[in-house]
Amino acid sequence: MRRILTSLIVASTVALASAAAAAAPESKDPIKITLNDWTGQLLTAHIMGGVLEKAGYTVQYVPADYLAQFAGMRTGDLTVAMEVWATTAKEAMDAAIDAGGVENVGETGMQAREDWWYPSYMKEKCPGLPDWKALKDCAEAFSTPETAPKGRYLGGPVTWGGYDEERIQALDLPFEVVHAGTDAALFAELKSAYERKAPVLLWIYAPHWAPIKYEGEWVEFPKYEKACYEDPAWGSNKDAKYDCAKPVGPIYKAVWTGMKDKWPTAYKAVKAYAFDNKGIGELAARVDIDGEKVEAVAADWVAKNEAVWSAWLK
C-alpha cells in the first residue's frame, strides 16, 4: 500500500509539473496591449490582459493614439490592438498590413456604427429629421453662443478621425465641429444636455450604453459606399469626397506579426476573443454611469467567466 501511495504521489507530482510546464508562458517578455481613449476599448484591453495574466503572461498596457498605434505594432514595440473599428481605422490597419508587421486576426463579434446622433426631443425643433437635409434649415436650433448662427456638432476626440469637417463642407451644412477632449467629456455633455432637454447633436457610437439609455436617432445621410471616400464624382457633390454616411461594419483585432511565434498561446487567445455589443455596453455603463473603475469591472468579468475565456486559451 505504501508503494502504491508513493507511486501515486510521484505520478501526481509529475503530472502537476507537466501541466505547469505546459501552462508556462513561451516568453517572459511583456505583451504590450494598447489603450485608446474610449471606455469600451479600455475594458476590452483589460479583459484580454487579465485573461493573459491568468495564463502566466506578463502584460503591459500602453496608451496609444488610435490611428498612429499601427506604426508601433509594425516594429513590435506594441503587440495587440483589441478594437480596430471598420468605421474609422480599417484603412490605417490595412495600410500597416500592406507595409508589413501587422496582422488582422479577425472580428471581435461586435458590430460598429458611429455617426451624428440627436435626442428625440430635438425633432420638435427640426421636424425634418432624421433626413440630413433638414439640418440645412434648422442648424440654428443646434447652435451655441460660440457657433451661432451655425449649428454645433460635438465630435469625438480628434484622434478618432471620422471626416466630420470634410462632410460638412461636402454637403454644405451650416455647422461647425467642436471636438470633445475625451470620450468621458463627450458623454458627460450628452447627459447634461439630455437632462435639460438642451440642443445637442453629437458623435454617438455603438457598441455603447448611450443609444440604449437615451432616446434618440442617428441622422440619415446618403448610404456609405467605398467610392464616397475615394471618388469626388460619387454622390451629390461632384467635387468633394465624404458626402455620405460613415461606414458600418465589424470591429477587428490586430497584432504584431511576431506574436504568433513569440507567444503562440496568447496569440490564439487574442484570435479567439469574442464579445457582443450588449455585453460590452453593459460593462461600459458600470464605468461611465455607476462610477466603477475600468480595471475593477474587467477583473470582475474575468473572475466570473472562466468557462468563457478558458476556451480562448485552448
Side-chain angles (χ1 to χ4, degrees):
M1 179 65 73
R2 187 174 299 169
R3 286 199 202 97
I4 293 172
L5 288 173
T6 301
S7 298
L8 288 173
I9 291 170
V10 170
S12 298
T13 302
V14 170
L16 288 171
S18 298
E26 302 88 356
S27 171
K28 293 183 179 180
D29 289 346
I31 296 171
K32 297 180 181 179
I33 301 178
T34 64
L35 298 180
N36 302 139
D37 50 3
W38 68 94
T39 303
Q41 193 278 341
L42 297 175
L43 285 163
T44 301
H46 280 280
I47 287 170
M48 190 73 257
V51 169
L52 294 181
E53 287 174 334
K54 289 285 187 182
Y57 292 98
T58 301
V59 173
Q60 284 185 7
Y61 299 101
V62 182
D65 181 280
Y66 177 48
L67 297 178
Q69 65 187 341
F70 300 107
M73 293 179 69
R74 288 190 60 215
T75 61
D77 292 324
L78 300 173
T79 317
V80 180
M82 285 302 300
E83 289 194 16
V84 180
W85 291 42
T87 49
T88 49
K90 190 172 186 298
E91 289 183 3
M93 177 180 67
D94 288 346
I97 291 171
D98 290 343
V102 175
E103 179 185 356
N104 178 348
V105 291
E107 300 179 12
T108 61
M110 297 182 285
Q111 293 292 312
R113 180 174 184 180
E114 47 188 325
D115 224 319
W116 295 24
W117 185 98
Y118 59 91
S120 294
Y121 59 77
M122 288 304 299
K123 292 185 80 168
E124 297 177 10
K125 298 180 180 180
C126 192
L129 290 171
D131 189 334
W132 70 272
K133 297 185 187 72
L135 296 175
K136 288 179 174 285
D137 299 322
C138 62
E140 196 162 1
F142 292 96
S143 68
T144 64
E146 292 76 20
T147 67
K150 290 184 176 181
R152 184 189 71 153
Y153 168 71
L154 182 63
V158 174
T159 58
W160 292 7
Y163 304 108
D164 289 309
E165 288 86 352
E166 291 87 347
R167 173 189 283 164
I168 284 173
Q169 185 174 355
L171 293 175
D172 193 26
L173 292 173
F175 276 78
E176 289 186 14
V177 179
V178 176
H179 288 280
T182 64
D183 178 68
L186 183 71
F187 292 103
E189 184 147 354
L190 170 60
K191 180 177 184 292
S192 174
Y194 197 91
E195 290 173 348
R196 295 179 289 113
K197 291 200 174 344
V200 66
L201 176 67
L202 75 163
W203 182 324
I204 288 283
Y205 60 87
H208 196 271
W209 54 264
I212 300 171
K213 178 178 174 63
Y214 300 122
E215 184 179 348
E217 297 175 313
W218 274 284
V219 176
E220 296 296 340
F221 290 102
K223 188 176 180 180
Y224 168 83
E225 292 182 15
K226 188 177 181 182
C228 174
Y229 277 33
E230 297 177 351
D231 182 5
W234 186 98
S236 59
N237 187 335
K238 304 304 180 183
D239 297 315
K241 298 183 289 185
Y242 309 111
D243 49 346
C244 63
K246 297 181 183 183
V248 296
I251 299 176
Y252 301 100
K253 302 156 289 186
V255 303
W256 168 53
T257 52
M259 185 183 189
K260 182 187 298 186
D261 296 325
K262 189 168 185 176
W263 301 282
T265 301
Y267 169 84
K268 290 178 184 177
V270 173
K271 197 168 184 178
Y273 170 97
F275 240 91
D276 61 21
N277 284 27
K278 183 175 183 291
I280 207 68
E282 289 173 348
L283 294 180
R286 289 175 57 181
V287 176
D288 292 346
I289 298 176
D290 300 337
E292 297 183 56
K293 297 292 186 183
V294 165
E295 296 83 355
V297 172
D300 181 62
W301 187 92
V302 171
K304 293 177 178 177
N305 290 275
E306 184 172 355
V308 176
W309 58 256
S310 60
W312 301 346
L313 292 162
K314 294 180 180 177

